[in-house]
Amino acid sequence: MTILESIRQPRDLKALSEAELGELADEIREFLVHAVARTGGHLGPDLGVVELTIALHRVFDSPADRILWDTGHQSCVHKLLTGRQDFSKLRGKGGLPGYPSREESEHDVIGNSHAFTALGRADGLAKARRLRGERGHVVAVVGDGALTGGMAWEALDDIAAAKDRPLIVVVNDNERSYAPTIGGLAHHLAALRATDGHERFLAWGKDVLQRTPVAGPPVHEALHGAKKGLRAAFAPRGLFRDLGLKYVGPVDGHDIRAVESALRRAGRCHGPVLVDCITEKGRGYEPALAHEEDRFHTVGVMDPLTCTPLAPSGGPSWTAVAPALGDAEVDVPVRRFGIPEQFLAHAKRGEVLADIGLTPVDVAGRISASLAAGDELAKQPLDAQEHQA
């Protein structure tokens, strides 16, 4: 029996040694590659959250502690660790859906198939627990791409205003939604990732200086005194703190012990806290890592070793053909983008598609229509702009 096969409920994880945890992570990735290759489905996102999910279920006690996933397609590891290991009919009739399902398990808090929604749900659950005097944590695992939508920020605004709400926001920060995440927030998170390297450099410097006789310790003390100022210069993490959220991280999302430590720190905080976990989409599967377009976000039925398709394609997807449209002479003038296929499908003759990333369709439509209208729209009164957009 493999370690994975011995896991029937989350509490089984707590008895595993560090070596067994590493072996379990490898088994999960091998299982996912073969299972998803057999049926098709989301692969890259789940490969990236293996250690993070293990740590979550070792620190918290689901279902007493409520864990929500945004987006829902990164929950397959969560399913494996909560007693659902039959993936033979994944996304098929009579089989497991590719997203959380309340009808399927008490460990699935909401049934959500896309982004931006979990923070509002988590806020409501945490608020209800506070009003009822109930103990326990509410944890929302949110992809960095899912922080580019207005619904998510409205929820964060409300969460931050409640200083006593037992809510933990875990950012699965892999620089991607479908394609690489773009926009101001993406740049901000990139700066925080750079800080992780800065912290490692300081830790290395401390080790070297502490072992340097005579001059080493005084130099280290001087640098330590300047560390706060250096961190402020190198790490603009004040965005979350200015909102009123305590911030933990960034932490290596593939280091189970480090993630556990960060989650326990967050759990001891009295009030909302954000934990920033740096992960790699497609982790552990070289074909996914080599696929720069979307790191095998979704795959069809394929050979897991060669990645050769084993079922006829339904035709090219928007994701596959859209990059060529930027240079093609077509009726729809499409600009270069970082935009997933379902928004491209909303393009109409004469629209210009904005470089907006994972943004709600209504916002995408407004931006695109405004770009298409150009100066003529800008010259009109605001009420007329609103009507046209």
Side-chain angles (χ1 to χ4, degrees):
M1 177 183 289
T2 66
I3 297 176
L4 176 58
E5 289 170 341
S6 72
I7 304 299
R8 297 301 179 186
Q9 52 192 343
R11 69 169 62 99
D12 294 336
L13 295 166
K14 299 181 187 295
L16 298 182
S17 67
E18 187 166 354
E20 289 172 325
L21 291 172
E23 188 175 344
L24 173 63
D26 292 341
E27 290 178 4
I28 289 174
R29 287 195 169 92
E30 183 177 3
F31 177 96
L32 288 173
V33 168
H34 286 83
V36 177
R38 185 169 56 249
T39 63
H42 290 95
L43 181 57
D46 290 293
L47 293 174
V49 296
V50 174
E51 291 85 1
L52 172 57
T53 309
I54 292 172
L56 279 165
H57 279 296
R58 279 172 53 86
V59 171
F60 300 107
D61 297 312
S62 177
D65 293 321
R66 311 299 273 161
I67 302 175
L68 295 76
W69 299 88
D70 192 349
T71 60
H73 61 237
Q74 60 184 335
S75 65
C76 282
V77 184
H78 162 78
K79 293 192 177 205
L80 289 174
L81 300 179
T82 52
R84 291 167 283 175
Q85 296 183 11
D86 182 3
F87 276 41
S88 60
K89 297 180 180 178
L90 180 66
R91 305 199 317 164
K93 184 177 181 180
L96 296 177
Y99 301 96
S101 170
R102 295 176 63 186
E103 293 76 19
E104 182 181 284
S105 172
E106 62 180 346
H107 296 281
D108 291 358
V109 184
I110 57 174
N112 60 323
S113 61
H114 221 276
F116 315 128
T117 59
L119 284 175
R121 296 288 189 89
D123 183 33
L125 287 170
K127 186 181 298 184
R129 288 200 157 180
R130 178 62 65 197
L131 292 172
R132 294 172 180 167
E134 296 176 355
R135 300 178 62 85
H137 296 284
V138 177
V139 184
V141 186
V142 182
D144 58 304
L147 284 179
T148 60
M151 288 175 65
W153 284 96
E154 288 176 13
L156 278 176
D157 184 53
D158 195 50
I159 289 167
K163 304 302 182 184
D164 63 344
R165 198 163 296 164
L167 177 55
I168 298 170
V169 178
V170 177
V171 179
N172 172 28
D173 184 359
N174 64 12
E175 306 181 63
R176 290 172 172 270
S177 47
Y178 295 80
T181 308
I182 62 172
L185 179 67
H187 293 304
H188 182 83
L189 291 173
L192 293 178
R193 293 184 204 104
T195 307
D196 188 41
H198 166 64
E199 294 288 351
R200 288 197 300 271
F201 171 76
L202 289 177
W204 171 82
K206 174 183 177 180
D207 182 62
V208 171
L209 290 170
Q210 293 286 29
R211 290 187 282 106
T212 302
V214 185
V219 172
H220 169 255
E221 288 302 317
L223 288 175
H224 182 73
K227 181 179 177 181
K228 184 175 181 181
L230 286 170
R231 182 187 291 116
F234 282 93
R237 65 186 70 183
L239 169 64
F240 299 112
R241 288 176 176 164
D242 288 346
L243 277 172
L245 293 168
K246 297 180 180 68
Y247 176 90
V248 177
V251 60
D252 181 353
H254 300 295
D255 184 333
I256 295 176
R257 295 300 186 190
V259 177
E260 287 182 12
S261 177
L263 293 174
R264 289 193 175 96
R265 285 174 57 195
R268 290 192 294 267
C269 292
H270 299 287
V273 56
L274 185 143
V275 180
D276 187 6
C277 292
I278 310 301
T279 64
E280 182 180 42
K281 187 175 182 179
R283 177 87 170 192
Y285 188 42
E286 286 304 320
L289 296 176
H291 193 261
E292 186 57 30
E293 182 182 340
D294 68 0
R295 297 284 179 90
F296 279 20
H297 183 81
T298 58
V299 298
V301 178
M302 67 176 188
D303 184 307
L305 299 179
T306 65
C307 302
T308 303
L310 299 180
S313 171
S317 68
W318 268 104
T319 301
V321 303
L325 295 179
D327 301 317
E329 294 183 3
V330 295
D331 290 337
V332 182
V334 180
R335 302 292 185 253
R336 284 291 177 185
F337 57 88
I339 183 171
E341 63 183 78
Q342 70 267 34
F343 300 149
L344 288 174
H346 286 268
K348 298 182 178 64
R349 185 184 303 271
E351 281 190 349
V352 180
L353 294 176
D355 190 14
I356 52 176
L358 186 59
T359 304
V361 173
D362 61 333
V363 179
R366 288 171 181 269
I367 295 174
S368 298
S370 296
L371 281 171
D375 292 338
E376 289 305 314
L377 182 65
K379 296 174 183 177
Q380 298 177 19
L382 288 178
D383 56 347
Q385 293 183 28
E386 178 69 17
H387 176 73
Q388 290 196 21

